[in-house]
Amino acid sequence: MQQPNRPSMADRAQEAPVIRTTCPYCGVGCGVLASEDDGDVTIIGDPVHPANAGKLCSKGLALGSTFQDEHRLLQPRVDGKPVDWDKATTLIARNFLDTIEQHGPESVGFYVSGQLLTEDYYVVNKFVKGWLGTANIDSNSRLCMASSVVGHKRAFGSDTVPGCYEDLDSAELIVLVGSNLAWCHPVIYQRIMANKAERPKLKIVVIDPRRSITADSADLHLGIKPDGDTLLFNALLNYLHEHVNFDEQYIDKYVSGCTKALLKASQSVSHDLAERLGIPEPDLKRFFDLVATTPKTMTIYSQGVNQSRNGTDKVNAIINCHLATGRIGKPGMGPFSITGQPNAMGGREVGALATMLACHRDLDNEHHQSQVQRFWQSPAIAKKSGLSAIDMFRAVESGQIKAIWIMATNPVDSLPDANRVAQALAACPFVVVSEVTNKSDTLAYANVALPVQAFGEKDGTVTNSERRISRQRRFAEPVGQARPDWWAVSRVAQLMGHVDAFDYHRPAEIFTEYARLSAFENNGSIDFDISACAQLSDDEYEALEPFQWPRTEARPAPIKANTAKTGQHAIRFFAKGKYYTPDGRARMIAVDSASPGNSQLSDHYPLLLNTGRIRDQWHTMTRTGYTPRLMGHRAEPFVELNASDALIHGINDADIVLIKSPTGQVFVRAMLNDRQPPGQVFAPMHWSDQFASQARIDTLIESTSDPLSRQPASKNQAVSIQRFAANSFAFLITRNEPQLRDCRNIEYWAMSPIEVGWRTEIASTLSVNDLIVQLLHFVYDGKRSSELQQIDYCDHHTRRFAWFNRQEKLHAVLFLEPLPVELSRTWATELLSKRFDTKYGRSRLMAGRAASDQPDKGAIVCSCFHVGDKEIVRTITSGECTTTDAVGHLLGAGTNCGSCRNEIEVLVKLHSKDMNAQSAY
Ligand code: SF4
């Protein structure tokens, strides 16, 4: 077979002006080259960006297809009616002024997002903390890394990530804790895999209750019980001490608290440690030995650590091991938290959490309050922590907060106990929502909706997980009346009377002010210092190269051509102490070993739900959900569960199931596999009411938080599961998006865009005949029956319909059965692009089968080249391919972004085994 015939993206990028910018999805912060030509956007990796050196994952590569103007919010709206910006901003200013006058500054709140650019973040934070005088501003970053922030501050005195990506290239042991890096931060994962290929001695350990796709390529997977991490790392600390691995010199010079931390750690160790953790004893010993004997150890962690009732303690238990061994701030070693969002780190720097001031100043530090207020010359300054995300929406519910402004986030889907959040917003007197899309569930609760600029239109900076600030540049004209977020906030602030302080015209003005604040009375006392950027001209700002902070007069510019991989010189912290604590020493923290598991399990709720992301989706799908190539990977909301649990609960593979918790319920598709340990299930958090009837996973999550970081525990929820006893099932293909959202009497539907049209899976307690009646409405979609020609097929089980328009083009196809509809989805999803001008073609359509020369692709594995799992398995079982590379050579799969290579690897291992077994037989 030939390599797939595909357009050269590099060639296309040369046709239009190419702009260097940064991917808007995850905290890896990959550089991209973008060009726009008459609405056609081309994206490739930026070969000289230090974060990715030209690589992109499937989401980054599909960015060009996410520019869909039909889903954009184009004009401000008040109570659903279009207005101009003047009217909308005047209304906001008047409402916020009135509310504050009547109820004080604590009666307003701002819920912002790691999708904002630093310049947006800076202006809104300045407005709220300096001019409104409250700290009631929190970022949705609270949901992804607040525990790391608090853990860093406890240990280092500052929220500093000590290392950098370059450490991956010299580390000899990489420990991934609570991180499905292969799907959530694919470019970092691929860098590790490239290192592993080059240096086979590099060892990878994955610590995760489920055997994620990342764990498949690890040398060792420790499937610990949920929330067992503090116990595990306390035990590791104890082991390192017993085996004389502590760096006594480093501890003497730079660390305090070691004795107490060790005492606490030793108390948690017992002879049945492995059993308490749920890990085989030899695996535990192997892990301890690997860490003990490998000085160049990196511990990378993300949401599995942070999103926990004891997330901060987990972070400190990890950091303790690095401090005790002096493995920090040197090449190839250190603790490393990876952020979820593209500018979560920028929000931390700028102070957009309710618990901090700008530029790494502390809210509870009077000197810092004075510094920031004097720099801003503001009439007020927040003096105590504001309400963090969950508490803010509780305050909306209780009526304390009477006006809230939500920017670039979708809390009705993404916050825990999401139904309660929706109810709180419904009762709130004044809700402002700044949005890019008109398809956000939160928008339904807005009194005022503001259209803001999207990726490609925005202009500013973001900071990635390794403290690298990069420009996100504009390469497309804003659509409709979309404006920058910083502009909308400045406009409202000015209308409230603060004219001079918010007289911003360009992002460069904001960035240089921010840089000046970072330097203000700093003198090395605060880690975050970008004073070298304080005097940038507009042109210099425009041309700003990606750089790691600190960037001061002493360290003014990136040093070029230092290493072949990045071309830059990596900046690390703490190899020689100099922590930002009062005595300059790091603090090891004595942490309790929380009991693994979940005490909320009961007969009613016997299973633990773990939530997370999938490879090709982003947050609540407002951008990625409308891209067929990304939806092809997983087209429906699903839950993964172990076959033993499925047996107990009477569930078969691909059944629709009802999951319940004390706070909500969802309908999703069951996927049986052995990745989930018995007693635990996993469901992705992406689906919203825009794509499924009831699949908002965060409606299931109770609002338990870490007491120190206030970060919600989203990975350890007690739930029940049962098979949904449907009487009818349907599979519907339509040319237009079916408007099923108001259809309350169909329990399960999930729709997904396909290359031409939409596919929808349906299950209902209605009879087949009653379901037909319901669905015809969506099929006709406003057309008269005389406009469509219908053909159908009926036997005592099956009903099949197809409709053609007057041009003889297929308009819709509907398959119904009392049992799940069995037909090839890849065949069916290509129907709307085919011609049915012969009797034979139409009869094949009614037969529900592809022609024999069109074998089923199966579920899409490679989004770049649209290669399905059945297609790959055929090449393996036929003996054509025995390796991942061979599959890539034959089908192209895995040869572009590489995000699917792990999944191909799994298929090769699984089906090569089948082959071997057959030949042995
Ligand atoms: Fe974007 Fe993927 Fe890079 Fe993350 S890893 S920044 S999603 S291209």
Side-chain angles (χ1 to χ4, degrees):
M1 194 182 287
Q2 296 289 310
Q3 279 279 353
N5 185 13
R6 53 191 183 265
S8 158
M9 287 186 267
D11 289 349
R12 293 189 59 216
Q14 286 167 7
E15 291 163 10
V18 174
I19 305 295
R20 289 181 70 199
T21 183
T22 311
C23 174
Y25 289 127
C26 85
V28 179
C30 296
V32 300
L33 301 180
S35 57
E36 193 264 349
D37 189 8
D38 202 19
D40 191 7
V41 174
T42 302
I43 298 279
I44 58 172
D46 180 351
V48 299
H49 195 289
N52 58 316
K55 297 241 180 310
L56 292 179
C57 74
S58 51
K59 287 189 291 290
L61 275 173
L63 267 170
S65 54
T66 61
F67 287 76
Q68 289 141 343
D69 293 352
E70 71 267 30
H71 298 139
R72 290 293 299 275
L73 184 64
L74 298 173
Q75 199 176 348
R77 290 186 201 158
V78 171
D79 297 329
K81 297 190 183 68
V83 295
D84 60 24
W85 270 98
D86 270 352
K87 188 160 183 192
T89 47
T90 303
L91 185 67
I92 297 168
R94 203 180 61 224
N95 263 282
F96 273 79
L97 274 175
D98 288 351
T99 305
I100 290 170
E101 196 180 296
Q102 286 174 37
H103 306 284
E106 302 303 323
S107 63
V108 300
F110 291 74
Y111 187 53
V112 298
S113 158
Q115 303 288 312
L116 292 179
L117 302 182
T118 296
E119 291 73 3
D120 304 318
Y121 256 148
Y122 178 81
V123 172
V124 66
N125 189 51
K126 174 179 171 180
F127 174 51
V128 177
K129 291 189 180 136
W131 268 259
L132 302 186
T134 172
N136 280 350
I137 171 169
D138 209 35
S139 169
N140 65 359
S141 302
R142 176 75 56 191
L143 312 182
C144 82
M145 39 94 267
S147 298
S148 281
V149 173
V150 179
H152 285 163
K153 290 185 79 164
R154 286 208 298 184
F156 311 144
S158 57
D159 177 21
T160 316
V161 174
C164 51
Y165 296 161
E166 207 167 282
D167 293 326
L168 300 167
D169 305 331
S170 54
E172 289 165 0
L173 170 64
I174 295 177
V175 183
L176 299 170
V177 195
S179 168
N180 186 9
L181 210 65
W183 276 13
C184 300
H185 300 94
V187 166
I188 292 295
Y189 172 77
Q190 284 164 37
R191 186 160 172 173
I192 293 173
M193 286 298 112
N195 270 292
K196 176 93 177 152
E198 250 175 57
R199 302 182 285 122
K201 283 190 178 157
L202 167 65
K203 293 281 180 281
I204 298 165
V205 176
V206 170
I207 299 168
D208 195 322
R210 69 179 177 132
R211 189 167 53 76
S212 66
I213 200 87
T214 307
D216 284 335
S217 44
D219 296 283
L220 177 64
H221 168 223
L222 301 183
I224 58 168
K225 289 183 184 168
D227 285 342
D229 313 69
T230 44
L231 176 58
L232 177 67
F233 281 90
N234 265 347
L236 173 63
L237 186 70
N238 197 54
Y239 186 93
L240 293 170
H241 181 250
E242 283 176 353
H243 291 75
V244 203
N245 292 116
F246 278 19
D247 184 337
E248 299 295 349
Q249 242 185 358
Y250 190 86
I251 295 170
D252 282 351
K253 274 172 131 173
Y254 306 128
V255 180
S256 55
C258 183
T259 309
K260 280 189 184 163
L262 184 58
L263 181 66
K264 191 69 125 181
S266 62
Q267 287 166 354
S268 42
V269 180
S270 59
H271 66 280
D272 59 349
L273 177 67
E275 193 183 322
R276 285 161 66 204
L277 288 165
I279 299 171
E281 179 104 39
D283 287 357
L284 187 62
K285 172 88 171 57
R286 188 168 167 221
F287 170 58
F288 286 171
D289 282 346
L290 274 172
V291 178
T293 55
T294 317
K296 286 196 167 185
T297 294
M298 273 183 95
T299 310
I300 297 178
Y301 58 93
S302 51
Q303 269 70 325
V305 167
N306 294 329
Q307 289 179 336
S308 162
R309 62 197 152 108
N310 59 342
T312 305
D313 279 354
K314 288 183 182 183
V315 170
N316 285 110
I318 291 168
I319 292 174
N320 282 347
C321 293
H322 282 274
L323 289 174
T325 52
R327 296 172 184 175
I328 188 164
K330 298 168 206 153
M333 59 182 76
F336 198 106
S337 89
I338 298 250
T339 58
Q341 296 192 80
N343 202 26
M345 188 70 103
R348 285 151 73 166
E349 294 155 8
V350 122
L353 290 167
T355 39
M356 51 176 62
L357 271 178
C359 292
H360 281 199
R361 264 69 170 187
D362 291 325
L363 254 177
D364 55 2
N365 179 323
E366 283 183 18
H367 179 55
H368 286 176
Q369 291 166 9
S370 159
Q371 278 181 334
V372 175
Q373 187 170 13
R374 281 183 289 115
F375 178 83
W376 280 341
Q377 298 184 4
S378 62
I381 193 73
K383 290 191 159 64
K384 63 180 174 61
S385 290
L387 296 166
S388 60
I390 288 183
D391 301 323
M392 187 178 293
F393 285 89
R394 290 289 177 272
V396 172
E397 182 183 56
S398 72
Q400 179 202 322
I401 287 187
K402 298 177 191 315
I404 187 166
W405 190 340
I406 297 164
M407 298 178 194
T409 184
N410 194 5
V412 162
D413 294 333
S414 55
L415 271 180
D417 206 351
N419 286 336
R420 201 164 156 191
V421 171
Q423 284 159 12
L425 285 177
C428 184
F430 192 64
V431 178
V432 181
V433 177
S434 297
E435 248 307 345
V436 162
T437 170
N438 61 14
K439 295 282 191 180
S440 149
D441 287 344
T442 301
L443 216 46
Y445 301 89
N447 297 95
V448 181
L450 299 176
V452 287
Q453 293 177 357
F455 168 71
E457 302 164 359
K458 298 202 229 197
D459 197 23
T461 53
V462 290
T463 311
N464 73 0
S465 300
E466 60 162 356
R467 291 175 276 103
R468 190 176 298 281
I469 295 177
S470 298
R471 289 278 280 109
Q472 207 183 83
R473 296 183 174 89
R474 173 182 291 184
F475 57 86
E477 283 306 305
V479 301
Q481 296 180 24
R483 298 277 197 160
D485 286 281
W486 61 259
W487 182 90
V489 175
S490 301
R491 183 79 194 119
V492 168
Q494 289 189 310
L495 288 166
M496 288 173 73
H498 317 308
V499 177
D500 294 337
F502 293 90
D503 188 24
Y504 296 116
H505 302 273
R506 299 177 303 283
E509 286 173 303
I510 303 166
F511 186 77
T512 50
E513 180 182 313
Y514 168 55
R516 288 199 299 281
L517 174 55
S518 79
F520 186 65
E521 298 178 359
N522 187 330
N523 304 318
S525 63
I526 293 167
D527 58 343
F528 181 72
D529 186 342
I530 55 168
S531 48
C533 299
Q535 306 302 331
L536 289 182
S537 67
D538 285 0
D539 286 345
E540 286 168 328
Y541 175 76
E542 184 51 39
L544 194 64
E545 289 288 323
F547 69 93
Q548 277 186 295
W549 60 258
R551 187 172 180 185
T552 62
E553 293 307 323
R555 211 197 280 262
I559 301 160
K560 295 271 185 184
N562 188 52
T563 73
K565 279 199 168 128
T566 69
Q568 297 206 1
H569 183 71
I571 297 175
R572 298 178 181 87
F573 280 84
F574 309 141
K576 295 187 178 157
K578 295 187 188 154
Y579 290 92
Y580 293 91
T581 51
D583 62 3
R585 297 170 74 86
R587 291 176 294 226
M588 285 175 65
I589 307 292
V591 292
D592 274 318
S593 297
S595 307
N598 182 321
S599 56
Q600 306 302 315
L601 285 180
S602 65
D603 288 346
H604 278 309
Y605 301 110
L607 295 168
L608 287 181
L609 168 68
N610 179 0
T611 65
R613 297 182 191 164
I614 57 173
R615 193 191 74 192
D616 287 358
Q617 288 303 326
W618 179 249
H619 281 197
T620 56
M621 299 165 68
T622 47
R623 185 162 30 204
T624 45
Y626 293 93
T627 302
R629 142 177 180 187
L630 296 178
M631 281 300 263
H633 182 232
R634 298 280 187 272
E636 279 183 273
F638 65 90
V639 62
E640 291 183 3
L641 74 161
N642 189 282
S644 61
D645 288 320
L647 194 64
I648 292 168
H649 297 280
I651 293 165
N652 295 312
D653 195 25
D655 274 348
I656 305 297
V657 292
L658 176 63
I659 306 178
K660 285 185 180 172
S661 81
T663 57
Q665 64 174 42
V666 297
F667 288 94
V668 293
R669 182 81 66 182
M671 282 175 70
L672 272 53
N673 62 36
D674 62 356
R675 295 188 175 279
Q676 286 303 125
Q680 297 179 38
V681 300
F682 170 85
M685 44 70 80
H686 304 291
W687 270 264
S688 70
D689 283 350
Q690 304 295 322
F691 294 96
S693 52
Q694 284 189 67
R696 290 158 55 228
I697 292 299
D698 278 301
T699 60
L700 299 174
I701 306 296
E702 293 176 89
S703 315
T704 316
S705 307
D706 178 288
L708 300 171
S709 69
R710 307 296 294 146
Q711 175 156 1
S714 302
K715 298 200 170 285
N716 197 354
Q717 173 66 47
V719 295
S720 67
I721 190 166
Q722 67 189 80
R723 182 172 171 271
F724 171 52
N727 293 319
S728 55
F729 295 83
F731 182 65
L732 173 67
I733 300 277
T734 48
R735 205 163 273 280
N736 300 322
E737 184 179 339
Q739 302 302 316
L740 283 157
R741 282 172 208 103
D742 298 326
C743 186
R744 297 283 166 220
N745 52 357
I746 297 178
E747 289 88 348
Y748 178 79
W749 57 260
M751 60 186 180
S752 162
I754 50 182
E755 282 309 323
V756 180
W758 288 76
R759 57 170 280 184
T760 307
E761 301 277 355
I762 295 153
S764 169
T765 47
L766 295 171
S767 67
V768 169
N769 285 341
D770 288 344
L771 183 59
I772 292 171
V773 175
Q774 292 290 322
L775 294 177
L776 284 182
H777 173 69
F778 304 106
V779 167
Y780 279 94
D781 192 24
K783 286 194 163 24
R784 289 191 302 276
S785 57
S786 58
E787 291 178 72
L788 297 175
Q789 182 201 356
Q790 177 182 311
I791 59 169
D792 53 57
Y793 165 86
C794 172
D795 62 26
H796 59 285
H797 284 308
T798 308
R799 303 290 305 269
R800 293 178 185 155
F801 301 86
W803 293 267
F804 298 85
N805 61 22
R806 287 183 181 147
Q807 290 77 41
E808 303 234 322
K809 281 199 174 150
L810 190 59
H811 173 76
V813 193
L814 175 61
F815 300 88
L816 298 110
E817 296 191 26
L819 294 171
V821 177
E822 282 192 22
L823 58 84
S824 158
R825 294 321 193 242
T826 42
W827 166 76
T829 53
E830 288 166 3
L831 291 175
L832 289 176
S833 50
K834 290 188 172 15
R835 292 182 68 82
F836 290 94
D837 45 8
T838 64
K839 225 174 162 183
Y840 174 73
R842 290 184 178 199
S843 70
R844 285 222 74 84
L845 178 61
M846 285 295 91
R849 279 202 306 276
S852 55
D853 61 344
Q854 294 164 6
D856 185 14
K857 279 176 190 284
I860 297 304
V861 172
C862 172
S863 309
C864 296
F865 298 130
H866 204 65
V867 182
D869 58 359
K870 289 189 178 165
E871 214 173 343
I872 294 169
V873 168
R874 274 194 295 272
T875 68
I876 301 165
T877 51
S878 68
E880 283 176 285
C881 298
T882 52
T883 64
T884 303
D885 286 342
V887 172
H889 189 66
L890 194 65
L891 301 174
T895 59
N896 195 30
C897 74
S899 301
C900 61
R901 282 184 65 85
N902 261 26
E903 285 158 86
I904 299 171
E905 188 94 39
V906 170
L907 291 175
V908 169
K909 275 188 197 154
L910 198 67
H911 295 280
S912 301
K913 259 193 227 154
D914 290 352
M915 288 287 296
N916 293 340
Q918 272 172 26
S919 43
Y921 181 75

